[in-house]
Amino acid sequence: MTRFILGLVLGTFAATAIHAQGSTAKPVKQPAPHAIQLAKIESSEIKLPPAFEMAIYEHALDEIKKTALFDQIYRDGDRRAASVTGLVTLRTDVRGFKQGSAMARQVTTVAGKTSIKVHMVLAQADGKVLLEKDLEGKVRFFGENMRATFDLAKGMARTLKDNFQKPATTSKS
Amino acid sequence: MLTKTATSTLSRLHTRARIVLLMLIIAGVPAVSPGQQQPQPPKPAPKRVRSVMGFQDIKKNETCDINVGASSVNLKGKTATVEVTVASIEDVLTGDDSARLVGGFVGTLTSFGPYGSGRFLSLFRKKLDTLTIQYRDSDGGLHGGILSMHPGEAIALKRLIVAAGAKTTVPVDDSGKPAEGTPTATAEQKKGDQKP
């Protein structure tokens, strides 16, 4: 009986370890392109307040810069990007927007969530898509509505970091 | 019988009127109807605004002086100055927002107050106007600067910037429409679009 219980416990441990190993297996990261250009936030289906649109754009630029994945980061319409080889463009389309209430959040804690849903596409100049993902930025408990744009930008940067890595620099002799 | 019914109806009406009057006093609603109110004069363009983000060299949420010149919009913060030429401005859009009356570090501290006092303070909020300025730098890169100010001042500032020669996708309307980007304004815009 004791052997049976011991076997059961050991078996459970082994199964948990195998499952954990399988779930934590990270996808292979691609080498990050040399330069990235962030296109203006589009909201074709949803009418997003202009302040929110520009806040996503500015926050995304800041957060992508923080990842240090790319040597060059260009804004939308930057003429210098035209001559850069290996440039990728990040396009973001707003697919959903729910403006909550900061007061409701602060008073009730559970109500008044603000959320912004976007579809981001990272593509090369020839149109080849390197990364495509739906993301949501939200502010659920603390903070003003605009904080959802910061949360979304952080999510965008995290997605890039999860899929790309800085290519190893070759040492010059 | 008829007199009795009429008396009871009158007393019921009196009671209702008393309740409505009491509610109005509690709610602080003025006794005059909106039609009798005198239209408020438009607010002048502000001299000081809060730069929420998007203006290089000026910190986020820094209060700065604003001056709209003949060919540029100048923002002067504590340590830096930004000049945006009017020709580079692609769009100027107004919006509205609100913020906690007690904000910042003190506001965060109050949220830990006992007996839900932090939550009570959250009920007190101030309305804000926002002005989003989309402009291009010398390389053609897009910037989105967001300014916040007192209610009613954004439209005055927009009018000033547009008069100086900046472009806008939503023309300035003197009829006192609600700020752009709000659900009401969007609905009005849609209605307008549907008209032949």
Side-chain angles (χ1 to χ4, degrees):
Chain A
M1 185 65 187
T2 317
R3 276 184 189 175
F4 175 73
I5 292 169
L6 196 67
L8 199 70
V9 170
L10 284 173
T12 314
F13 270 119
T16 314
I18 290 164
H19 179 72
Q21 204 174 15
S23 61
T24 54
K26 287 180 180 174
V28 182
K29 290 181 181 180
Q30 303 173 54
H34 167 67
I36 188 169
Q37 185 170 32
L38 187 64
K40 189 183 169 185
I41 309 298
E42 291 166 25
S43 49
S44 51
E45 294 171 19
I46 305 290
K47 182 75 187 163
L48 196 66
F52 278 70
E53 251 180 54
M54 292 323 293
I56 296 171
Y57 175 77
E58 290 290 340
H59 277 313
L61 280 162
D62 286 348
E63 292 302 315
I64 291 169
K65 203 174 182 180
K66 278 184 200 169
T67 62
L69 282 171
F70 309 95
D71 293 330
Q72 302 289 331
I73 300 167
Y74 295 103
R75 290 173 174 267
D76 179 275
D78 197 324
R79 286 184 287 273
R80 292 172 300 172
S83 57
V84 175
T85 50
L87 178 84
V88 289
T89 309
L90 180 64
R91 295 184 194 285
T92 314
D93 190 18
V94 181
R95 297 282 168 91
F97 173 59
K98 186 191 163 218
Q99 187 158 12
S101 160
M103 189 172 79
R105 272 195 303 276
Q106 283 155 6
V107 174
T108 67
T109 311
V110 288
K113 177 186 133 181
T114 295
S115 80
I116 308 167
K117 288 176 184 170
V118 299
H119 181 72
M120 66 176 259
V121 179
L122 187 75
Q124 289 176 340
D126 58 2
K128 188 189 170 191
V129 175
L130 299 176
L131 176 67
E132 202 169 359
K133 199 175 179 187
D134 286 320
L135 287 171
E136 185 182 6
K138 51 185 176 267
V139 50
R140 202 188 289 267
F141 303 117
F142 299 107
E144 301 298 330
N145 289 333
M146 199 71 96
R147 197 172 165 77
T149 62
F150 177 63
D151 185 52
L152 180 66
K154 274 177 87 172
M156 287 162 77
R158 204 183 305 121
T159 307
L160 290 173
K161 216 169 180 180
D162 288 346
N163 289 275
F164 295 97
Q165 63 179 355
K166 184 98 177 156
T169 49
T170 52
S171 58
K172 287 176 185 174
S173 57
Chain B
M1 182 67 189
L2 192 71
T3 329
K4 238 183 193 179
T5 321
T7 319
S8 71
T9 316
L10 266 173
S11 69
R12 222 180 290 152
L13 274 172
H14 273 291
T15 319
R16 277 185 189 172
R18 256 183 246 155
I19 290 166
V20 168
L21 191 69
L22 194 69
M23 281 170 77
L24 281 174
I25 290 164
I26 290 166
V29 176
V32 284
S33 67
Q36 289 171 322
Q37 281 180 343
Q38 284 187 344
Q40 287 184 344
K43 283 193 177 179
K47 297 281 176 204
R48 281 180 79 77
V49 291
R50 187 183 287 265
S51 167
V52 180
M53 65 166 72
F55 293 101
Q56 278 180 332
D57 303 330
I58 289 187
K59 287 178 190 170
K60 285 178 183 172
N61 292 316
E62 188 181 335
T63 309
C64 49
D65 296 328
I66 188 163
N67 178 41
V68 182
S71 62
S72 64
V73 178
N74 297 292
L75 286 162
K76 193 180 173 188
K78 276 179 190 167
T79 53
T81 308
V82 171
E83 186 180 356
V84 180
T85 55
V86 170
S88 70
I89 297 175
E90 288 192 336
D91 209 349
V92 187
L93 297 159
T94 58
D96 57 5
D97 204 356
S98 70
R100 272 185 72 159
L101 201 63
V102 186
F105 181 66
V106 179
T108 313
L109 280 181
T110 58
S111 62
F112 301 109
Y115 310 113
S117 55
R119 285 168 191 247
F120 177 71
L121 284 173
S122 299
L123 289 168
F124 300 99
R125 300 182 69 80
K126 57 183 173 190
K127 284 185 177 178
L128 294 171
D129 263 14
T130 60
L131 192 74
T132 309
I133 303 174
Q134 290 178 30
Y135 65 98
R136 301 265 173 192
D137 57 28
S138 54
D139 294 310
L142 178 74
H143 292 254
I146 303 168
L147 300 169
S148 77
M149 59 209 78
H150 297 296
E153 289 181 345
I155 193 74
L157 187 59
K158 178 179 174 172
R159 201 171 289 140
L160 211 62
I161 296 170
V162 171
K167 288 174 223 129
T168 180
T169 51
V170 181
V172 184
D173 188 6
D174 290 45
S175 63
K177 272 186 182 179
E180 298 145 18
T182 57
T184 332
T186 317
E188 279 180 16
Q189 206 177 338
K190 275 181 187 170
K191 270 183 197 173
D193 290 347
Q194 283 167 0
K195 280 176 189 172

